[in-house]
Amino acid sequence: GKPVTIFESGAILLHLARKTGKFLAADPVGEKETLEWLFWQVGNLGPMAGQHSHFWNYADGDHEYAATRYANEYNRCIGVLERRLDGRDWLAGDAYSIADMASWPWILIAKAMGQPLDDFPNVSRWRNAIKNRPAVQKGVDLGKDLRRTAPPTDEERKLLYQQTAQSTAALAETASKDG
């Protein structure tokens, strides 16, 4: 009954899967497998792809070491997916799951981040299978008219990329007073 706040994408997906009884295997081994791949995404693919995206799309100046490191880590993670998807349709078990949901967005944008999937036929097949799901198409299209292509302004960059524990606490305090 009482509302519960949930943060972090993996925790949200797990909560929704358990609440609805969908996208998470009912058997203990299948659930374990799904959770392993969900946790792999939140600890590997997501962070590596996110850092690669930052240096690919947003970082000002030359950051050759960091850009190369995260591009290589992203590529390595895609290789892990490639091996996992060899001979199987989904990351865990026999059905589309929260592990696929969590990982897919980072693969959807691979080409746009300079990582073609030509060397990863299993990942490419999996990416397309998920992209062609009607519910996924609706989700991708949601808010499309609100997206912008312009780079962030200097003020937005400061808010997005120069946060510290102190600045975040100050923002939270201001927000609680305002609201």
Side-chain angles (χ1 to χ4, degrees):
K2 185 178 177 184
V4 176
T5 301
I6 302 173
F7 72 101
E8 290 295 335
S9 58
I12 293 165
L13 286 169
L14 180 57
H15 170 77
L16 291 172
R18 287 184 170 158
K19 183 176 180 176
T20 64
K22 297 179 180 179
F23 307 113
L24 181 64
D27 68 284
V29 174
E31 181 180 275
K32 172 209 70 86
E33 192 175 77
T34 303
L35 294 179
E36 287 171 340
W37 284 97
L38 175 65
F39 294 164
W40 175 83
Q41 185 281 324
V42 299
N44 289 277
L45 178 61
M48 295 304 107
Q51 292 296 335
H52 173 54
S53 178
H54 174 77
F55 288 103
W56 182 264
N57 293 305
Y58 304 108
D60 283 335
D62 181 25
H63 303 279
E64 185 177 338
Y65 171 80
T68 300
R69 171 174 163 53
Y70 291 114
N72 288 343
E73 283 297 305
Y74 182 47
N75 176 274
R76 182 187 62 76
C77 287
I78 295 172
V80 169
L81 288 176
E82 178 67 17
R83 289 185 297 282
R84 176 60 180 178
L85 291 165
D86 188 25
R88 59 177 45 243
D89 292 331
W90 310 110
L91 289 177
D94 296 329
Y96 178 66
S97 73
I98 57 175
D100 299 290
M101 291 176 194
S103 298
W104 181 76
W106 294 110
I107 302 304
L108 175 65
I109 61 173
K111 187 176 179 182
M113 291 201 310
Q115 178 58 72
L117 297 177
D118 300 343
D119 294 334
F120 304 104
N122 295 320
V123 172
S124 184
R125 174 194 41 77
W126 171 82
R127 177 192 181 275
N128 291 334
I130 295 174
K131 186 177 181 181
N132 290 326
R133 293 175 68 90
V136 171
Q137 290 175 358
K138 285 174 72 174
V140 168
D141 289 342
L142 190 65
K144 211 174 208 175
D145 56 325
L146 302 174
R147 295 179 199 149
R148 69 174 204 201
T149 57
T153 65
D154 288 341
E155 184 177 327
E156 289 168 333
R157 267 183 198 284
K158 185 176 179 184
L159 284 172
L160 289 168
Y161 309 124
Q162 295 177 12
Q163 293 291 318
T164 63
Q166 186 177 16
S167 67
T168 303
L171 282 172
E173 186 176 323
T174 301
S176 69
K177 287 178 184 176
D178 291 345

